[in-house]
Amino acid sequence: MARLTAVERKTSTDTLEASSDDVRLVQAVARGLSVLRAFKPGENSLSNSELAERTGLSKPTISRLSQTLVALGYLSIVPRTGHYQLGAGIVALCHSLLAGMPHRIAARPVLQEIADFSRLPASVGMRDQLVMLTIETAHHPQMRPARFDLGSRLPIETSAMGRAYLFALAEDEREAMLRRIRLQWPRSEWRGVRARIDTAFESIAKRGFCVSLGDRQPDVYAVGAPVVTADGAVLAFNCGGMPSEVTAAQLENEIGPRLARAARQISMEAAGGA
């Protein structure tokens, strides 16, 4: 299992030098954002102690940051408990971001075709720190509620989507990302993780997609394919479900090739519009 990311969050803020007022300001911004990142999907609120534990920051620091974020509308206080929850300001930022993503809009119809064919959720994702974040998901009208939807987070190194993303990066960016990911794993486990990443790269180079059969979770089978937009942004497509919903053969022979064609279509349309 990968280690908790709270240590990484603390390290990323503490490595900023406090040699000038400008750098101290940047450090404060980084720490404030780490508070917002501490919230996970499905959580209604977090206490000061929980925020401190997840970010690695002291309770007095959390109190100051939280008060500022409340004043700006990015956090709000639950009156009954005094805990913090994400505020309306976050919704406004997310709406502005998602509404301004042309590649997300372009991906909708092709993702819907994949979802209709496979009867599984089909998504496009982008990187957020060391995870992939889904920014659009298509569903078959008759499918059960999906676990993977807007804002879902998938680990880069063990998910089909994440491995497809890594493949599409420039070599120097890819190696830098792999070095960061490696720090999250015990040395004894990393060798196996890296071997499966390399196998995924070979599959993408040959067929345009890679398959993950329970690598991330035992009950998740998925296929991923890389997308590179006209402005050079790297994204990735993903489609998958439980072994009771899809077989390895279906992913390899039916869904994977379709997903790869869809990813190439979006990449070529982006290139043609550049």
Side-chain angles (χ1 to χ4, degrees):
M1 293 288 293
R3 296 172 184 168
L4 295 176
T5 57
V7 174
E8 182 196 352
R9 293 195 193 101
K10 186 176 188 300
T11 301
S12 66
T13 56
D14 287 350
T15 51
L16 293 171
E17 295 291 338
S19 58
S20 69
D21 290 341
D22 288 343
V23 173
R24 280 195 293 270
L25 175 62
V26 170
Q27 188 178 59
V29 172
R31 288 178 169 176
L33 292 175
S34 75
V35 172
L36 299 179
R37 287 182 178 277
F39 290 84
K40 299 176 181 178
E43 293 180 329
N44 293 326
S45 63
L46 293 175
S47 66
N48 241 31
S49 296
E50 290 170 325
L51 288 171
E53 181 180 359
R54 293 188 182 185
T55 60
L57 300 173
S58 67
K59 291 181 181 179
T61 299
I62 289 293
S63 295
R64 292 193 297 272
L65 291 171
S66 298
Q67 290 170 12
T68 301
L69 291 169
V70 167
L72 295 174
Y74 297 122
L75 288 181
S76 62
I77 299 175
V78 181
R80 184 174 60 85
T81 62
H83 291 184
Y84 295 99
Q85 62 185 8
L86 294 177
I90 297 294
V91 178
L93 288 177
C94 292
H95 176 74
S96 298
L97 171 66
L98 295 173
M101 287 182 172
H103 26 274
R104 171 177 173 260
I105 297 170
R108 285 175 180 167
V110 296
L111 289 175
Q112 191 62 56
E113 290 178 8
I114 297 295
D116 290 343
F117 171 78
S118 66
R119 293 179 175 266
L120 298 169
S123 304
V124 60
M126 62 190 298
R127 182 177 69 85
D128 176 31
Q129 299 296 315
L130 297 181
V131 299
M132 297 300 294
L133 190 71
T134 59
I135 58 175
E136 182 71 19
T137 298
H139 306 277
H140 186 275
Q142 297 177 357
M143 68 182 290
R144 65 176 178 78
R147 289 174 294 176
F148 310 121
D149 213 328
L150 183 65
S152 294
R153 298 165 71 83
L154 305 175
I156 291 178
E157 67 273 26
T158 58
S159 66
M161 177 186 280
R163 292 167 181 172
Y165 167 84
L166 282 173
F167 177 86
L169 291 177
E171 184 175 357
D172 57 341
E173 293 180 77
R174 183 191 309 126
E175 291 305 313
M177 184 62 57
L178 286 169
R179 285 194 295 271
R180 290 181 61 191
I181 293 172
R182 181 175 183 174
L183 296 176
Q184 302 287 95
W185 289 82
R187 183 177 301 178
S188 59
E189 297 180 30
W190 173 248
R191 183 177 300 175
V193 173
R194 182 58 198 264
R196 288 188 285 275
I197 292 173
D198 290 340
T199 298
F201 287 176
E202 293 172 4
S203 176
I204 297 171
K206 182 178 180 180
R207 302 182 295 173
F209 66 91
C210 66
V211 172
S212 172
L213 303 177
D215 291 351
R216 186 177 69 83
Q217 291 182 0
D219 64 341
V220 176
Y221 281 11
V223 61
V227 177
V228 181
T229 69
D231 56 3
V234 178
L235 309 171
F237 281 174
N238 178 75
C239 181
M242 299 175 66
S244 59
E245 298 170 320
V246 63
T247 65
Q250 287 175 311
L251 290 174
E252 296 276 4
N253 302 321
E254 301 173 18
I255 302 173
R258 284 177 177 260
L259 196 73
R261 286 195 296 271
R264 287 195 297 269
Q265 176 185 335
I266 294 299
S267 294
M268 288 189 293
E269 288 178 355

